Amino acid sequence: MYVSPIREPLIRGAKNYSQVTKDILAPMAGTPSKYWYMGITLAGAAALFGAWATFMTVYYGIGTWGLNKTVGWGWGITNFVWWVGIGHAGTFISAILLLFRQKWRTSINRSAEAMTLIAIACAGFFPLIHMGRLLLGFFIFPYPNTRALWVNFNSPLLWDVFAISTYFLVSLIFWYVGLIPDIGTVRDKAKTKIRKAIYGFLSFGWTGSAKHWSRHETVSLILAGLAAPLVLSVHTIVSFDFATSVIPGWHTTIFPPYFVSGAVFSGFAMVLTLLIVARKALNLEEYITINHIESMNKVIIVTGSIVGIAYITEFFMAWYSGVEYEQYAFMNRAFGPYAWAYWIMMTCNVITPQLFWFKKIRTSLVATFIISIFVNIGMWFERFVIVVTSLHRDYLPSSWTMYKPTIVEVGLYVGTIGLFFTLFLIFIRVFPVIAIAEVKSVLKSSGDNKINAHHE
Amino acid sequence: MNNYITAYYSDEEDLLKGLKQIISKGLKVNDVLTPFPVHGLDKVIGLRRSRLTRVAFAGGAIGALVGFLFQAWVFTNAYPINFGGKPFFAVPSFIPVTFEIAVLFAAFAMVFGFLIHNKLGPGSKNIIHDERVTDDRFLIVLDIKGEANDKIKSIETILSDAGAQGITIKE
Amino acid sequence: MENKTFTLTKKTIAVFVVMIAIGLIALAFGFLSDINGKRIAANLLLNSYYFLSMGLIGLFFVTVHTIAESGWHTSVQRIGEAMSAFIPVGGILLLILFISGGLHQLYEWTDKDHLDELLLKKAAYLNEPFFYLRFAIFFIVWSALAYYVRRTSIALDKLGDVKYLNKLRMLSAIFIVFYAVSSVVSSWDWLMSIDAHWFSTLYGWYVFISMLASGIALFILILFVLKKMGYMGHVNHEHVHDLGKYLFGFSIFWAYLWFSQYMLIWYANIPEETVYFYERHKYFENIFYVNLVLNFAVPFLLLMARNTKRMFTVLVPVAVIVFVGHWVDLYQLIMPGVVGGENSAIGFLEIGLTIGYLGLFMIVVFWALSKAPLVPKNHPYYKESAEYHTHY
């Protein structure tokens, strides 16, 4: 396919196919570096902290959390929404960018999707643990039981069960279908018998047949078409958890698209945080280039600005509505006891991403890394602000109170972060972090040595 | 007993050129194995557009029906309860779950259809002709079961004329 | 040889002039018969807003593809540019409607002496000077950007210098940012404030996506007409396919936002909010469902298959339906608040006036098309578009 010569190449270093295979498989070979061990030790320690907190919650009950009569939702749902949001980037990159034929996705989709799956697993942990009795988690699924009871299909929390499970399963098969050819590559390059056997089993007998490739492309495309509205539906339904209520600050119709945009925003920030480190550590700088970073930064500007417009719209409408409760909820957010959280949110989410309008900043690794961390923080605070400020001063002033997390809640949160990094570090050792076949398919048109004169 | 002949190219453009030449000579190419989907290859070897999309559509339609009817049955028939003054047959409430089930069914129908159709799956025993197919080789496979020796010779000549490398006869 | 420049023939002009005449007759009929003045004002608002938005969507199409570094759109971008030529005309028509007394017919908040408590609270925003100030800002910036985008695009084609592409990107970014805010605020001003007591934070995005889906439908129709007239031979199935995908995708997205807004208001069941849909259910029940069928069910079911998105035989009827459908959508946004259930109807006034506006819109678009080559062959990305073919 013809590509204009004024476009920047996506893959640097004038690679040929065999070099691509070698470079991408390199991080999986040999023994891990000492940084990898340091990372997994740190992440594992955090995960252990989480395990302790889980034990405390299950053994003593939800009373170990800082929730009270007025603030019935705290860090638990904040972390849940935060993780679900982060879990949006992977499928956004692989599905929506595929539909829009963005070739730069090929270098980042695999790791972003893996991150998505891990983030959804971390998210799913919070609704489970908040039940207090993990073994009774299956109660949330509709199954014929002796009480002849069915679940409440009118409840947004139940829609969440369906949305998150569907999203996890569909993302998983989407990711795995994409992985099959690359597992074939790992199998064929494996040096030991046992490695060959394991990857041979996982590769599902992939041969690279033209027929299979043709169907593989169709399946990827249709899965992308299915996953695109699915991504939107997941955070929409998460937003319904809040917006179907009659609580000021929660009940507002802009929530569905605004949550989706915020989710993609935070997801891209997390992808950037991970990849800026990973590309360096795994020697993949020629595959995940500064152009990829720049493109992701542009997505950050767009989604961050949409989030900013939504904040301002909400604030304006609170005034315009003339509803005093709504007005109070927003004044309380901005100037009440949790104003510090609100202004952290505003600074991190609305102001910092606007710096990406400057080309210097959006092509600087250091600046991007710092801003991506800011966005991660800002998006966590967004959920905290929404959840806590709307609850802590409700319709009944005698019940007004404050909320502080306990060490157990902190432990659960830190634990999921530990789990996230542990699983991600395992992932980069087990599977290729970049979609090998997809990179090869854009190499001719978008590699460093692209031949522009040639076309069919 | 000779079963098939394989030969490879190391560039997809040479592969397409060579294939056109081979096919124009009247040879039947059984399979082409490539490291990535080669644009235009399906046209050259005459592959039809996959009809797996219909499987996905059927899965989605069944999923939507199952999802919607099940919820409607639970709330109007099996266990009608008044939730917050909402009607029993609360269509807007049913839409999220209906949508999710539809997508779930469509995606799984499609992927399982794909695996079954291609005979791919855990423990699948497909022949790996050349381990570098998943790296940088574009391999073509021709069936020569029961062909005479001089016919095989002529096939080999056609292949090497078309620029194919590493022509091997396999059992 | 391919026809690269569009010539506006007398025959074409005659068709559009007849259409405009029908519109004027319908308007005269409205004034002469005993049709309520509010209904006339509401129809003028509906059509002015609708076709002004079509112009803006044309500009949006060009600018959003420019900043997204897209290549394929260059084959059809002239259509978007030509649509944007209607922006100043639509703005002036809207202004004439407002200053010639329409403002008081349409918006109850203009009646300063009879404001209730709630509207008094909103008077800091809903008052005439501020309303006109916002109108002026939107109108001037939109028209200016439409003019400069078009001029830069033509300069780029004439000289083929990348400098102009960079300038075009800059202008596009400015427009997108400005439009992101102005499309929302203008829809509050001109549409949502009809039901001045009611509010919905999603409203602006809902109206925008409605206009976007409809704008793409009109885009496809203009492309089809041009092809029928023997132009745009460089546009192949792939370009049509992409436009079809947009129509399909944005129609689903419209349904998503419609559902989000309806669901949240239905579920929370707060009387101040549900009153909006209560009115529409009670007096406009048919329109309420027709809206969903035309704008979601039809494009969703008919454009799902790959082939139907590539063939004009299916795509064009669907585009017509969607274009009519979003007119109906605007109808149900405007009429219940201005005219009310008892006095509303779709008669000669509604249909005739819309035909008139369409004629005016088309004459402006075709005039703009005739001013520049249809093929921007010196655009740095044009070659990508000309040789464009894909699996999907």
Side-chain angles (χ1 to χ4, degrees):
Chain A
M1 190 178 276
Y2 177 81
V3 172
S4 170
I6 65 167
R7 292 194 194 272
E8 297 270 337
L10 290 177
I11 296 137
R12 296 287 184 178
K15 305 282 179 193
N16 64 30
Y17 295 134
S18 159
Q19 274 170 303
V20 171
T21 315
K22 218 172 121 208
D23 289 347
I24 298 177
L25 290 186
M28 294 169 63
T31 46
S33 68
K34 72 170 189 279
Y35 295 108
W36 189 89
Y37 282 114
M38 276 162 58
I40 202 148
T41 312
L42 209 67
L48 275 179
F49 184 26
W52 168 80
T54 310
F55 170 79
M56 295 296 281
T57 307
V58 174
Y59 193 83
Y60 293 104
I62 297 294
T64 52
W65 294 11
L67 303 175
N68 52 48
K69 180 168 77 64
T70 313
V71 185
W73 275 1
W75 271 39
I77 192 137
T78 303
N79 300 334
F80 164 73
V81 181
W82 188 67
W83 278 120
V84 177
I86 287 170
H88 271 55
T91 311
F92 182 90
I93 288 171
S94 47
I96 296 183
L97 296 186
L98 176 94
L99 296 178
F100 280 102
R101 290 194 301 269
Q102 297 294 313
K103 286 182 189 161
W104 57 273
R105 78 172 195 285
T106 53
S107 294
I108 52 171
N109 56 1
R110 174 65 40 75
S111 48
E113 277 178 68
M115 186 206 75
T116 288
L117 291 170
I118 301 168
I120 298 292
C122 291
F125 172 74
F126 286 99
L128 275 179
I129 188 74
H130 104 292
M131 295 174 201
R133 294 288 172 268
L134 291 175
L135 289 179
L136 300 182
F138 66 91
F139 272 24
I140 57 177
F141 289 103
Y143 66 102
N145 55 42
T146 47
R147 291 151 288 152
L149 261 176
W150 295 102
V151 289
N152 180 5
F153 287 112
N154 261 322
S155 163
L157 299 176
L158 183 87
W159 305 339
D160 251 350
V161 173
F162 280 85
I164 303 286
S165 343
T166 303
Y167 185 54
F168 185 79
L169 290 171
V170 172
S171 297
L172 183 69
I173 58 171
F174 193 15
W175 180 68
Y176 202 80
V177 165
L179 252 176
I180 290 174
D182 290 354
I183 297 178
T185 307
V186 181
R187 172 199 64 200
D188 293 343
K189 290 280 162 201
K191 298 236 162 51
T192 62
K193 253 207 167 113
I194 179 137
R195 238 178 125 80
K196 198 153 218 132
I198 293 172
Y199 284 104
F201 179 81
L202 292 175
S203 74
F204 286 9
W206 179 258
T207 59
S209 159
K211 269 179 229 147
H212 296 182
W213 271 126
S214 161
R215 291 175 196 142
H216 189 269
E217 285 206 298
T218 307
V219 169
S220 306
L221 186 69
I222 300 297
L223 279 181
L226 288 169
L230 185 63
V231 180
L232 265 68
S233 82
V234 173
H235 230 58
T236 295
I237 290 175
V238 169
S239 80
F240 282 171
D241 292 350
F242 303 100
T244 50
S245 69
V246 290
I247 292 173
W250 286 10
H251 175 67
T252 173
T253 49
I254 207 171
F255 256 33
Y258 142 58
F259 262 50
V260 172
S261 185
V264 174
F265 180 54
S266 68
F268 267 74
M270 190 54 108
V271 172
L272 279 170
T273 312
L274 285 178
L275 286 187
I276 286 176
V277 179
R279 69 194 279 277
K280 182 97 193 146
L282 306 177
N283 274 323
L284 294 171
E285 284 146 306
E286 287 169 333
Y287 296 91
I288 303 167
T289 65
I290 205 75
N291 292 332
H292 291 89
I293 309 276
E294 193 186 354
S295 296
M296 287 194 265
N297 284 338
K298 286 179 182 168
V299 176
I300 297 240
I301 304 180
V302 172
T303 49
S305 305
I306 294 176
V307 167
I309 290 177
Y311 289 160
I312 296 162
T313 304
E314 270 190 304
F315 219 109
F316 173 77
M317 276 296 162
W319 172 80
Y320 178 87
S321 72
V323 180
E324 57 177 318
Y325 305 106
E326 202 68 44
Q327 289 169 350
Y328 180 76
F330 278 87
M331 291 313 277
N332 183 43
R333 270 186 194 176
F335 307 109
Y338 284 108
W340 53 275
Y342 180 84
W343 292 108
I344 290 175
M345 164 189 111
M346 278 307 230
T347 320
C348 294
N349 290 350
V350 182
I351 297 167
T352 51
Q354 300 304 326
L355 294 172
F356 283 144
W357 284 105
F358 302 100
K359 191 165 175 93
K360 254 219 169 85
I361 295 179
R362 68 172 184 262
T363 51
S364 148
L365 288 176
V366 179
T368 305
F369 186 74
I370 295 170
I371 292 176
S372 76
I373 301 273
F374 267 90
V375 172
N376 284 321
I377 295 171
M379 285 309 289
W380 188 89
F381 272 100
E382 178 197 298
R383 279 64 180 253
F384 179 81
V385 165
I386 291 173
V387 172
V388 174
T389 61
S390 281
L391 286 177
H392 86 118
R393 291 189 170 171
D394 61 0
Y395 290 109
L396 199 64
S398 63
S399 304
W400 284 9
T401 178
M402 295 291 283
Y403 161 79
K404 257 205 309 274
T406 63
I407 187 77
V408 175
E409 282 168 290
V410 176
L412 290 172
Y413 178 49
V414 173
T416 48
I417 295 177
L419 182 71
F420 179 79
F421 283 104
T422 310
L423 292 176
F424 192 79
L425 285 166
I426 292 173
F427 158 74
I428 58 175
R429 291 288 304 164
V430 175
F431 291 124
V433 278
I434 292 179
I436 305 173
E438 287 191 55
V439 166
K440 285 178 188 164
S441 72
V442 301
L443 194 61
K444 273 274 167 69
S445 58
S446 306
D448 232 355
N449 45 353
K450 62 181 175 184
I451 315 159
N452 279 310
H454 173 86
H455 51 83
E456 282 167 59
Chain B
M1 188 62 190
N2 295 331
N3 272 334
Y4 40 81
I5 210 164
T6 65
Y8 72 84
Y9 292 88
S10 20
D11 189 276
E12 76 268 27
E13 283 149 35
D14 298 339
L15 167 82
L16 289 175
K17 256 184 254 159
L19 266 176
K20 278 178 199 158
Q21 203 177 323
I22 293 165
I23 290 169
S24 71
K25 291 267 164 65
L27 291 191
K28 194 179 170 296
V29 178
N30 275 53
D31 208 350
V32 183
L33 311 179
T34 60
F36 58 84
V38 175
H39 188 54
L41 179 60
D42 20 3
K43 262 197 204 115
V44 173
I45 58 170
L47 282 185
R48 253 193 333 211
R49 178 165 284 281
S50 167
R51 282 177 298 186
L52 280 168
T53 46
R54 296 179 196 181
V55 179
F57 176 75
I62 293 170
L65 273 180
V66 168
F68 190 84
L69 293 178
F70 178 68
Q71 294 178 76
W73 172 76
V74 165
F75 271 9
T76 55
N77 219 310
Y79 210 107
I81 307 179
N82 186 336
F83 288 106
K86 305 229 167 340
F88 294 136
F89 187 61
V91 177
S93 280
F94 299 161
I95 285 176
V97 174
T98 306
F99 171 79
E100 300 297 334
I101 301 285
V103 170
L104 187 69
F105 276 41
F108 271 78
M110 179 120 195
V111 169
F112 280 112
F114 167 72
L115 294 176
I116 293 165
H117 198 30
N118 289 344
K119 300 199 174 57
L120 292 175
S124 169
K125 294 263 183 295
N126 292 333
I127 308 156
I128 314 292
H129 288 288
D130 184 337
E131 293 205 331
R132 280 178 64 181
V133 159
T134 52
D135 183 6
D136 60 349
R137 275 186 187 169
F138 303 80
L139 195 82
I140 53 178
V141 183
L142 287 90
D143 201 0
I144 49 164
K145 207 176 277 174
E147 298 280 7
N149 267 353
D150 52 336
K151 171 82 180 166
I152 294 173
K153 274 270 162 353
S154 78
I155 294 176
E156 281 182 297
T157 325
I158 294 173
L159 287 179
S160 66
D161 284 351
Q165 295 166 283
I167 303 166
T168 330
I169 297 173
K170 288 186 181 165
E171 294 185 3
Chain C
M1 189 53 207
E2 166 74 43
N3 237 339
K4 298 245 159 77
T5 335
F6 180 80
T7 27
L8 194 55
T9 58
K10 284 225 170 74
K11 212 177 106 195
T12 323
I13 295 176
V15 172
F16 296 139
V17 169
V18 169
M19 285 170 81
I20 295 169
I22 294 174
L24 289 174
I25 294 168
L27 190 62
F29 162 80
F31 280 119
L32 295 176
S33 64
D34 56 351
I35 284 180
N36 178 327
K38 281 179 184 278
R39 187 170 150 193
I40 298 170
N43 273 296
L44 288 167
L45 173 69
L46 196 169
N47 286 304
S48 301
Y49 185 81
Y50 197 34
F51 287 96
L52 171 62
S53 298
M54 294 300 104
L56 287 164
I57 295 299
L59 188 55
F60 179 75
F61 183 91
V62 173
T63 52
V64 86
H65 283 98
T66 303
I67 53 166
E69 310 262 329
S70 158
W72 73 273
H73 77 285
T74 48
S75 285
V76 291
Q77 72 172 29
R78 287 284 185 261
I79 299 178
E81 289 167 17
M83 283 164 80
S84 73
F86 191 75
I87 294 173
V89 182
I92 288 168
L93 289 173
L94 206 53
L95 185 65
I96 293 172
L97 167 67
F98 288 153
I99 54 178
S100 64
L103 198 67
H104 302 282
Q105 298 276 6
L106 293 165
Y107 306 111
E108 57 173 319
W109 52 263
T110 53
D111 192 358
K112 277 201 276 305
D113 304 326
H114 300 91
L115 293 184
D116 55 30
E117 196 192 351
L118 197 56
L119 292 186
L120 279 173
K121 277 187 189 169
K122 299 186 186 192
Y125 181 80
L126 292 181
N127 61 65
E128 283 182 48
F130 195 22
F131 178 90
Y132 279 118
L133 176 67
R134 291 190 300 266
F135 181 93
I137 293 170
F138 300 151
F139 176 67
I140 292 167
V141 178
W142 287 343
S143 308
L145 283 170
Y147 173 74
Y148 283 114
V149 164
R150 166 79 169 174
R151 206 175 70 164
T152 314
S153 172
I154 287 171
L156 174 65
D157 187 36
K158 261 194 194 130
L159 306 162
D161 193 334
V162 180
K163 172 179 97 179
Y164 291 104
L165 183 62
N166 290 332
K167 194 179 164 199
L168 194 58
R169 281 191 193 129
M170 176 76 94
L171 287 170
S172 300
I174 295 170
F175 176 74
I176 296 291
V177 170
F178 183 76
Y179 190 52
V181 178
S182 59
S183 66
V184 170
V185 178
S186 64
S187 74
W188 296 341
D189 281 6
W190 303 338
L191 300 178
M192 195 169 88
S193 80
I194 291 170
D195 300 276
H197 297 89
W198 185 79
F199 62 93
S200 167
T201 40
L202 185 56
Y203 195 88
W205 291 354
Y206 170 78
V207 173
F208 166 69
I209 205 75
S210 176
M211 293 302 111
L212 182 58
S214 170
I216 296 293
L218 190 58
F219 200 104
I220 292 171
L221 294 175
I222 295 174
L223 175 64
F224 173 71
V225 170
L226 286 174
K227 278 211 157 223
K228 277 276 144 197
M229 294 165 94
Y231 299 99
M232 304 303 266
H234 60 290
V235 175
N236 62 32
H237 283 303
E238 307 292 350
H239 302 105
V240 176
H241 190 185
D242 278 346
L243 291 170
K245 281 188 258 186
Y246 275 161
L247 187 59
F248 178 68
F250 292 139
S251 294
I252 296 177
F253 203 82
W254 173 86
Y256 160 63
L257 290 189
W258 182 93
F259 176 72
S260 297
Q261 180 167 278
Y262 181 79
M263 152 67 106
L264 291 174
I265 289 172
W266 173 84
Y267 199 105
N269 208 5
I270 298 172
E272 284 83 350
E273 293 177 356
T274 50
V275 62
Y276 190 77
F277 286 112
Y278 178 79
E279 260 175 29
R280 279 153 184 80
H281 262 306
K282 194 170 173 194
Y283 299 109
F284 295 86
E285 207 185 347
N286 294 335
I287 295 273
F288 184 82
Y289 292 108
V290 163
N291 187 17
L292 290 176
V293 172
L294 296 186
N295 294 329
F296 172 62
V298 168
F300 177 70
L301 293 174
L302 292 182
L303 294 183
M304 201 185 312
R306 175 175 184 271
N307 285 340
T308 51
K309 291 199 230 34
R310 300 167 71 87
M311 293 183 311
F312 276 133
T313 37
V314 182
L315 192 58
V316 165
V318 173
V320 171
I321 291 171
V322 171
F323 185 69
V324 173
H326 287 285
W327 185 92
V328 171
D329 190 17
L330 265 186
Y331 181 89
Q332 62 90 29
L333 289 176
I334 293 172
M335 295 299 164
V338 181
V339 191
E342 279 90 6
N343 298 322
S344 290
I346 298 185
F348 176 56
L349 172 64
E350 278 74 13
I351 295 166
L353 199 59
T354 308
I355 291 173
Y357 266 88
L358 185 62
L360 183 62
F361 180 81
M362 291 308 290
I363 215 167
V364 172
V365 169
F366 276 19
W367 168 81
L369 276 174
S370 69
K371 293 283 151 195
L374 287 176
V375 187
K377 59 178 187 307
N378 290 322
H379 192 293
Y381 293 154
Y382 174 67
K383 201 162 171 231
E384 284 183 5
S385 185
E387 297 184 3
Y388 169 42
H389 51 93
T390 165
H391 289 314
Y392 324 144

